[in-house]
Amino acid sequence: MDKEIRKDGEGEVLFDIRHLTHTFETEDGKTFDALKDVTAQIMKGSFTAIIGTNGSGKSTLARHLNALMMPTSGEVIVEGMSTSDYSHIWDIRQKVGMVFQNPDNQLVAAIVEEDVAFGPENLGVPPDEIRRRVDAALEKVGMTEFRTHAPAMLSGGQKQRIAIAGILAMHPDCIVLDEPTAMLDPSGRAEVMKTIHELNEKEGITIVLITHFMEEAVTADHVLVVDQSELKMQGTAREVFSQAEKLTKMGLDVPVAADLAHGLREKGFKIPEDCLTDEELGEALCPYVSKI
């Protein structure tokens, strides 16, 4: 029987991760835990960032959200369906789309609009509806004018937006993006981040972003911090990034403003603990400037 979708004070739970452990076995027969006893919830309609150093387990966690991986122990519940129940895998993957680091690995057609149509065609969507979905998806990611272009002729940021459009055309409830900007230049990164924020804010699509760029994570509603296979911290971006010392000990950067605020507090300046942005830091320093 399907598990009930639990709710809390903030709304409906989309992902209910319960004591998730994932164990790998090496070629010589040794085992290691990529994830250890991870418990968390991700709310429907939220924007959640998952951060951690290389090898921390954050990408392994991402792949559990649409059943690309199965728990060794514990479970992941997606809208009431367990990823360990093979009868629900297809339903889960229709609800949760994945976008990976290298867009070239997701683009399969010679023409942009054909690539976006690939997913719904495989779902058996009627041709007229495919046309509507492709048009709508390209519009949402700002790529309508490139519909007849070859993906190979696009920039990295444009390719990643086409990959997102291909997922959108399948009408998912959630998009999980595994370091989608890691291979992009600053301009491409800005394009992709603008697109996924608009999808979250205007379309209500749940976003789960795996990233090593702290300036991307700080824009999320909620942040999960994975370190050495364990979930070490979670909370709002403000709650997490105000703990600069803990993050630094895990080998993570913090936003420049938060790091500077931490250093100033250590020198005796009265800067709020939750000072996170350049604007907030500037405001906090105003009383000191006025005394000069």
Side-chain angles (χ1 to χ4, degrees):
M1 181 180 293
D2 293 345
K3 309 289 190 300
E4 287 187 6
I5 299 176
R6 293 196 288 173
K7 296 187 177 183
D8 69 5
E10 297 179 356
E12 190 174 289
V13 177
L14 178 58
F15 296 105
D16 197 356
I17 304 162
R18 306 176 184 176
H19 303 289
L20 170 62
T21 293
H22 191 96
T23 304
F24 286 108
E25 184 173 342
T26 62
E27 292 181 357
D28 58 3
K30 295 181 180 179
T31 61
F32 69 94
D33 291 332
L35 292 171
K36 291 185 282 190
D37 196 27
V38 173
T39 294
Q41 292 182 339
I42 295 175
M43 310 308 297
K44 194 166 187 177
S46 67
F47 190 125
T48 297
I50 302 176
I51 62 175
T53 57
N54 288 338
S56 61
K58 61 185 185 297
S59 289
T60 301
L61 177 56
R63 284 161 171 74
H64 277 274
L65 299 181
N66 79 334
L68 285 178
M69 289 183 170
M70 305 295 174
T72 303
S73 63
E75 59 183 343
V76 177
I77 308 298
V78 183
E79 290 195 351
M81 299 176 289
S82 172
T83 61
S84 298
D85 184 341
Y86 285 95
S87 68
H88 286 313
I89 288 178
W90 185 243
D91 294 324
I92 289 170
R93 290 180 182 167
Q94 284 185 269
K95 289 179 177 293
V96 185
M98 287 283 300
V99 175
F100 297 99
Q101 184 178 117
N102 189 345
D104 288 327
N105 293 340
Q106 287 188 264
L107 303 179
V108 297
I111 301 297
V112 163
E113 63 181 3
E114 293 176 359
D115 197 279
V116 178
F118 181 80
E121 283 175 350
N122 281 299
L123 294 176
V125 176
D128 288 348
E129 175 63 15
I130 291 176
R131 176 80 275 161
R132 285 190 289 271
R133 290 192 185 192
V134 170
D135 290 346
L138 287 171
E139 183 178 357
K140 287 173 184 175
V141 301
M143 291 296 290
T144 299
E145 65 181 291
F146 298 94
R147 64 184 314 131
T148 60
H149 286 54
M153 304 303 293
L154 303 178
S155 69
Q158 289 171 330
K159 288 179 182 178
Q160 199 61 287
R161 284 153 67 192
I162 294 302
I164 294 171
I167 299 298
L168 280 177
M170 293 188 283
H171 286 187
D173 293 340
C174 171
I175 302 178
V176 179
L177 303 103
D178 190 2
E179 303 208 36
T181 65
M183 301 181 68
L184 306 181
D185 61 19
S187 175
R189 286 173 51 202
E191 288 177 15
V192 171
M193 288 303 297
K194 180 176 183 290
T195 297
I196 60 179
H197 271 290
E198 287 180 348
L199 292 174
N200 175 246
E201 294 163 8
K202 296 180 180 180
E203 306 296 329
I205 294 173
T206 306
I207 298 292
V208 180
L209 173 69
I210 289 77
T211 183
H212 64 269
F213 292 115
M214 298 303 106
E215 62 268 32
E216 293 178 357
V218 79
T219 66
D221 303 326
H222 197 73
V223 178
L224 306 180
V225 184
V226 182
D227 181 53
Q228 297 181 354
S229 307
E230 298 180 358
L231 181 61
K232 294 293 181 66
M233 297 170 64
Q234 61 179 311
T236 66
R238 192 172 299 280
E239 289 168 345
V240 169
F241 286 110
S242 64
Q243 301 179 66
E245 194 168 338
K246 287 184 180 180
L247 293 170
T248 301
K249 285 181 179 179
M250 294 181 202
L252 293 169
D253 295 325
V254 294
V256 173
D259 190 35
L260 183 55
H262 175 69
L264 289 170
R265 282 192 297 272
E266 289 190 332
K267 292 183 179 298
F269 287 80
K270 294 181 179 180
I271 307 295
E273 289 286 341
D274 63 352
C275 186
L276 199 59
T277 66
D278 294 345
E279 292 76 13
E280 290 169 346
L281 179 58
E283 186 175 339
L285 289 173
C286 279
Y288 296 98
V289 175
S290 64
K291 293 176 183 179
I292 295 176

